[in-house]
Every structure is written in C-alpha cells, then in structure tokens.
C-alpha cells in the first residue's frame, strides 16, 4: 500500500499529471505562457536528474557484477511494455507517429519510475544494479534498437 501510494503520489508523477491537466485546460495560450518555465529549463533539469542518478550509483557502487538474468530483464521488460503500448495505440486509434511515441514511452517507463520505486520497495538493493539496468541497458536499447523497431511495428500493425 505504501509503495503504491508513493508511486502514484510521488512529486514527479503529480507534477507530470498536473502539467497534463494544466495543458488540457489552458490550451495554446497557456502553453505559450508556460514555455519559459517548461521548455527552456528542460535540458538542464534532465542533466541534473541524470547527474543525481549517477552520483547515487557512484556512492553505492560495490564493483558487483550485474547478473546476466537481470540484464535479460532489462532487455525483455521494455519489449513487453512496448507490445502493451502498441496494443493501446491500436485500441486508441492513434496515427503511426502517435503510436511510435506511445510505444516508446511505454518501453521507457523504467527510467524515472523504477529508481524511485526500488529505493522505497527494496531499500537493501544496491542502486548501482537497478540504475545500471535502467540507464545502462534499457535506455541505450531503446535509443539504438527500440525506437526504429517500435516505428516499424507501428507502421505494420496500424491501419
């Protein structure tokens, strides 16, 4: 119950949902008014987030190898999530471009959510393992192989 509460009510999740609500209710004019607060600082905030994750790993790094079965999980889970995202895109009637974005987001769900959830759910686990999987396995997989694959699947599977 505490984990579910943390995942659903975590500051970053509330910020994202709140941003969607504000964007939906204010339209184009609201987006223009908020651009200086959202678009301009995005890259800087992303760099700070990734730096924080890197520092977390560096502080707790114990030279332990990540087991091959966990690397396989870091490859398999995003692909399964991508298939779920593709099914949702088809059900929603999205365009190929919209489906590609949704599938990529579904496959990428671990980058922000998993480190925070793991820190709470299993605090004894070394962060260097799950952050390495999220940022060292899943992220490059999605960039190099995933996005082109997801786009090709969307072109084939959608009307």
């Amino acid at each position: 119950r505490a984990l579910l509460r943390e995942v659903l009510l975590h500051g970053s999740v509330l910020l994202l949902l709140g941003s969607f609500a504000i964007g939906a209710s204010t339209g184009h004019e609201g987006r223009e008014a908020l651009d200086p607060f959202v678009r301009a600082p995005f890259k800087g905030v992303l760099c700070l987030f990734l730096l924080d994750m890197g520092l977390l790993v560096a502080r707790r790094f114990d030279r332990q190898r990540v087991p091959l079965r966990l690397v396989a999980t870091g490859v398999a889970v995003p692909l399964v999530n991508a298939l779920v995202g593709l099914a949702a895109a088809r059900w929603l009637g999205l365009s190929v471009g919209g489906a590609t974005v949704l599938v990529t987001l579904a496959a990428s769900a671990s980058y922000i959510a998993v480190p925070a959830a793991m820190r709470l759910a299993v605090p004894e686990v070394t962060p260097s393992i799950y952050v390495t999987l999220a940022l060292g396995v899943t992220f490059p997989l999605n960039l190099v192989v995933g996005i082109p694959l997801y786009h090709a699947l969307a072109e084939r599977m959608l009307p």
Side-chain angles (χ1 to χ4, degrees):
R1 174 177 270 173
L3 175 63
L4 185 60
R5 182 172 189 255
E6 178 64 25
V7 169
L8 295 176
L9 298 177
H10 191 268
S12 60
V13 173
L14 286 178
L15 182 64
L16 184 62
L17 294 175
S19 297
F20 286 151
I22 290 169
S25 64
T26 61
H28 183 68
E29 297 82 21
R31 191 193 95 210
E32 286 180 356
L34 292 176
D35 267 356
F37 298 104
V38 178
R39 285 185 188 242
F42 177 77
K43 288 181 182 178
V45 172
L46 179 61
C47 286
L48 292 174
F49 169 75
L50 293 174
L51 178 63
D52 180 53
M53 288 287 103
L55 290 172
L56 175 69
V57 171
R59 279 194 302 268
R60 306 267 313 263
F61 189 70
D62 61 3
R63 300 187 193 277
Q64 173 181 346
R65 292 181 148 241
V66 177
L68 187 57
R69 69 185 184 334
L70 289 180
V71 173
T73 301
V75 171
V77 169
L79 297 176
V80 170
N81 288 350
L83 292 175
V84 172
L86 185 60
R90 186 178 175 122
W91 181 73
L92 292 168
L94 295 180
S95 67
V96 170
T100 301
V101 170
L102 180 63
V103 171
T104 302
L105 288 172
S108 305
S110 65
Y111 305 156
I112 296 172
V114 166
M118 287 297 293
R119 198 180 304 181
L120 268 172
V122 193
E124 64 273 7
V125 173
T126 306
S128 62
I129 294 174
Y130 57 80
V131 174
T132 298
L133 287 174
L135 300 178
V137 175
T138 305
F139 182 67
L141 169 82
N142 277 332
L143 282 181
V144 175
V145 177
I147 295 172
L149 174 66
Y150 308 147
H151 182 69
L153 286 173
E155 285 182 324
R156 286 183 181 240
M157 303 291 287
L158 298 175

